[in-house]
Amino acid sequence: MNEAFKAQLEADLGNVWFSNDEFCDYHLVDGVKMHVLFDKYELDKNDTSSTKVATEGIYTDQLLIFVPCSEFGAKPRTGRTVILDGKKTYRVADVMTEDGLYRMQLEAVRG
């Protein structure tokens, strides 16, 4: 990949995609304040609902989030627990690295 293009892509991550005025907000992830972009559209596109009913009264809550690798740190392992905003606990169902971002699919069984 062209170095100038890579530099522009990195600048765009911070200045556009992870600008609090545009697409994302700050959230606490495991107690650390960082930029988080929630992508309900992509999750819904791959599944008919972000909430699946497992059995009566119990359901699976799913989220798809993007966080900058530079803010999150080491790539999380599948199965790891993540706590969002000090309230909700999720399990990392899938994680990929895409252009300086972690794309994490999180899920939790709720009742």
Side-chain angles (χ1 to χ4, degrees), residues 21-83:
D21 297 331
E22 299 295 331
F23 298 103
C24 77
D25 292 308
Y26 281 113
H27 289 272
L28 291 176
V29 180
D30 293 336
V32 178
K33 184 178 177 181
M34 65 183 70
H35 290 96
V36 179
L37 189 147
F38 290 87
D39 191 344
K40 184 166 173 33
Y41 174 77
E42 189 68 27
L43 187 63
D44 288 347
K45 188 170 81 172
N46 293 329
D47 189 10
T48 57
S49 173
S50 62
T51 303
K52 295 181 186 176
V53 176
T55 60
E56 188 174 322
I58 298 174
Y59 62 95
T60 303
D61 185 13
Q62 295 182 328
L63 294 175
L64 180 61
I65 65 171
F66 292 84
V67 296
C69 298
S70 60
E71 293 182 22
F72 191 87
K75 183 178 179 181
R77 291 186 310 268
T78 301
R80 175 190 165 174
T81 299
V82 171
I83 301 171

Side-chain angles (χ1 to χ4, degrees), residues 85-104:
D85 295 322
K87 299 180 230 175
K88 290 194 174 183
T89 302
Y90 292 89
R91 182 184 68 83
V92 176
D94 187 41
V95 63
M96 295 178 357
T97 305
E98 296 179 357
D99 301 317
L101 303 173
Y102 292 132
R103 176 192 186 274
M104 288 190 273

